[in-house]
Amino acid sequence: MTIYNVGSINLDHLYQLDHFVRPGETMASDHYQCLLGGKGANQSVALAKAGADVKHVGAIHHSDQSVVTQLQSLGVDTSLIRQIDVPTGHAIIQLTKEAENSIILYQGANHALTEEQVDQVLEKAQQGDWVLLQNETNLIEYVMQKAQQQGVKVAFNPAPMDAALTKQVLGLVDLLIVNEVEAMDLIGTPDIDSTIAAFPDAYPDLAVLMTLGKAGVCYFNGEERIQVEAFSVQAVDTTAAGDTFIGFCLSAMMKGQGMAESIRRACAASAICVTRLGAASSIPTQQEVTEFLAQHD
């Protein structure tokens, strides 16, 4: 089984600061890194490191061959990434000593996907495969429609959240992956319990993975509800925590592991991730996750 990740690829310009830059303020940073990032790329790396067969579908500027090389070195199939004459997407990230981040995002080539590209990719997809999307590319609804026509399941992580777009496409989604604030905004409820109760009435065929930060993760689909606690660690950078969770959870699901076990493994991977700086570079290996879980039995 293959996961076709139709997702963003960014270059992350990371600046470590004492506090977020305020209006009118100029601040020096004594630590700078340029790192591979973007929710799509991060999730592809997490999937690959978790042992999934992941093909990344996206676009970058033709001068950034090093991005493709890095993704390949991390186990991602890059044969479906177009190299075009549009700047690669990028982010400017401020990171404080409290591990809080503030991000400016430039879409660039991430919004240059074409219907022809999508058609060519999904013609190869088979039943049992998945399509994964985030909200950092164009043609989201078109991709989902094509996936549905092919009988391929769709997982959607609608971040950064666009509530109107997300509501419009939820009928095409099999698995929605959101945090509790995003879930409450989508369904118009004031708390987690009422949100969990309301989703099956509004979207009876939808399964939801709702991340709750330090409170862990809740999965529900109208028939069952599973709650898994988070692991307690000292965080230094939360940039790719959610992407790591998604990659490891989907990979475990596709290997036939139970939902509770898949979520627990993904929570462990995410816990390791937040103890490291960077995005893709902070995602752990399968062995590291296995060792972490053995220490926390």
Side-chain angles (χ1 to χ4, degrees):
M1 292 185 290
T2 298
I3 295 183
Y4 294 88
N5 184 7
V6 184
S8 56
I9 303 171
N10 286 338
L11 293 172
D12 286 350
H13 301 276
L14 175 65
Y15 300 86
Q16 290 180 250
L17 302 166
D18 289 329
H19 59 264
F20 294 145
V21 178
R22 296 166 295 200
E25 180 180 21
T26 299
M27 183 187 300
S29 171
D30 59 4
H31 195 283
Y32 164 77
Q33 291 175 282
C34 182
L35 303 166
L36 174 65
K39 286 186 174 297
N42 293 341
Q43 290 176 21
S44 282
V45 171
L47 283 159
K49 286 194 169 186
D53 176 15
V54 53
K55 297 181 184 295
H56 193 99
V57 184
I60 59 170
H61 190 264
H62 52 69
S63 66
D64 289 321
Q65 175 62 34
S66 61
V67 172
V68 173
T69 302
Q70 187 174 356
L71 283 169
Q72 289 173 341
S73 72
L74 293 167
V76 178
D77 185 327
T78 62
S79 60
L80 302 176
I81 296 174
R82 292 171 61 230
Q83 297 185 42
I84 60 177
D85 194 24
V86 177
T88 299
H90 63 261
I92 297 174
I93 304 172
Q94 300 180 60
L95 176 67
T96 70
K97 293 179 179 178
E98 289 74 35
E100 295 291 332
N101 60 52
S102 176
I103 302 173
I104 298 172
L105 187 64
Y106 173 70
Q107 297 165 338
N110 294 319
H111 274 237
L113 302 181
T114 66
E115 293 183 359
E116 181 183 11
Q117 180 184 9
V118 173
D119 291 347
Q120 289 175 349
V121 167
L122 292 186
E123 282 174 0
K124 304 170 186 174
Q126 302 175 355
Q127 286 192 344
D129 293 341
W130 281 76
V131 169
L132 171 63
L133 302 102
Q134 311 78 34
N135 195 24
E136 291 185 344
T137 60
N138 62 325
L139 298 182
I140 288 171
E141 185 172 10
Y142 185 83
V143 172
M144 291 181 180
Q145 290 171 340
K146 285 293 179 180
Q148 191 176 63
Q149 291 171 13
Q150 290 292 106
V152 175
K153 290 187 176 181
V154 173
F156 186 34
N157 172 221
M161 173 60 78
D162 180 333
L165 169 67
T166 303
K167 290 177 183 177
Q168 182 177 320
V169 301
L170 278 184
L172 300 168
V173 176
D174 297 285
L175 177 64
L176 179 70
I177 308 163
V178 286
N179 62 37
E180 70 269 35
V181 174
E182 293 165 341
M184 288 186 281
D185 286 348
L186 278 175
I187 211 75
T189 45
D191 56 60
I192 292 171
D193 287 337
S194 60
T195 301
I196 293 171
F199 254 102
D201 291 335
Y203 305 101
D205 298 324
L206 181 67
V208 180
L209 264 175
M210 183 165 64
T211 57
L212 307 169
K214 293 180 180 179
V217 177
C218 183
Y219 170 84
F220 54 93
N221 62 6
E223 298 178 358
E224 63 176 337
R225 174 176 174 175
I226 299 170
Q227 187 99 15
V228 177
E229 293 184 359
F231 295 94
S232 180
V233 294
Q234 184 63 47
V236 298
D237 184 2
T238 61
T239 303
D243 300 327
T244 299
F245 172 85
I246 290 168
F248 272 79
C249 190
L250 284 177
S251 177
M253 287 169 54
M254 290 185 70
K255 293 174 184 176
Q257 295 183 18
M259 183 55 66
E261 183 182 356
S262 298
I263 293 172
R264 188 167 186 269
R265 188 166 184 83
C267 285
S270 183
I272 297 170
C273 169
V274 301
T275 65
R276 302 168 174 174
L277 284 175
S281 58
S282 69
I283 299 170
T285 63
Q286 289 192 75
Q287 182 176 348
E288 288 173 324
V289 174
T290 299
E291 291 172 356
F292 181 93
L293 285 169
Q295 295 167 5
H296 291 79
D297 276 340

